[in-house]
Amino acid sequence: MLDTSARLLRLLSLLQTPRAWPGSELAERLGVSGRTVRNDIDRLRELGYPVDATRGATGGYRLGAGAVMPPLLLDDEEAVAVTIALRTAAQGAVPGTEETSLRALSKLEQVLPSRLRRRVRTLQAYTVAVPDDRPAPALSADVLTTLVSACRDRERLRFDYLDHAGSPTRRVVEPYRAVNWGRRWYLVAWDTEREDWRTFRADRIRPRTPTGPRFAPREPPGADIAAYVSRRVSGAAWRHHARVTVHAPAADVVERINPAVGLVEAIDAESCLLITGADTVQTLAVHLSLLDLDFDVTEPEELVTYLRRLADRYARSVPPAH
């Protein structure tokens, strides 16, 4: 049987998982009686851990949120994961949190056991991140917190916004989700004036306070909100757009197309429509050739002209067939 200190640490580790633990299950896990579990729960409460208890078939013990943060218990893998995440944040993954992340990282590394400190430092020393080819957008942690809080509380959000052309507008929206793509954040929201779903660059948002009244949730614009954002963001930035008939089942094409590259719609059992685009017709041609499927394209005219020129070049590059 574990001694009292070891048992309390084990109990605390179990309670930190996001579920309710029946007393009988805790007793079985710890190898003690139900009375000992209740006594240990009282000891944790005296130490400042807010352990909540609920009755009923789905009831049990769970760790609640307290007025102050009590000591946090992490196992080896969790400690390494948190350290790596903090270092990534300190390097600017979430703009505006770099300094705070560094302070937290310094505190955590000081208390890591030597075996874990060695693992973390090895990861630091022998991994290299490729710098982003573009500077990270200036997004404060306060703005991001405001956006996600409005999503959580289902409160209308008013903000000033710079559109793609740099023109200022004022928006009133019902926020749904904040989506992270690389080093950029986007807000998916229902625009009350335009009566449609819109995607906003978070670094172009200047929230106005206070937030507005609460709203009833709407049906989201897609089951996969990340795929929805990638399609909207990519499509808005494309210089050339194309609608291509692909002579293959839609399911086959979907397996070869990233949602950020195109949208696939079934025509019949043996063909589908691919809606795609790119900054150049050359890039569009490459994407289509990588499908390795037969297709028909009639527009844009620049793409048709380029594909004809490319077909002639390919034909000249190989010896005639015998």
Side-chain angles (χ1 to χ4, degrees), residues 241 281 297-308:
H241 295 75
V281 292
V297 57
T298 57
E299 59 181 20
E301 184 60 35
E302 301 95 327
L303 176 61
V304 174
T305 301
Y306 182 75
L307 286 174
R308 286 177 179 146

Side-chain angles (χ1 to χ4, degrees), residues 159-200:
F159 56 82
D160 297 318
Y161 187 71
L162 292 178
D163 63 19
H164 188 68
S167 302
T169 60
R170 185 167 297 177
R171 304 296 184 95
V172 178
V173 304
E174 297 174 358
Y176 176 66
R177 289 291 187 275
V179 178
N180 175 230
W181 187 357
R183 302 188 73 181
R184 287 184 177 175
W185 287 85
Y186 297 87
L187 175 69
V188 178
W190 176 267
D191 191 311
T192 59
E193 294 183 2
R194 292 157 179 79
E195 296 187 340
D196 196 8
W197 289 97
R198 291 289 190 269
T199 301
F200 303 94

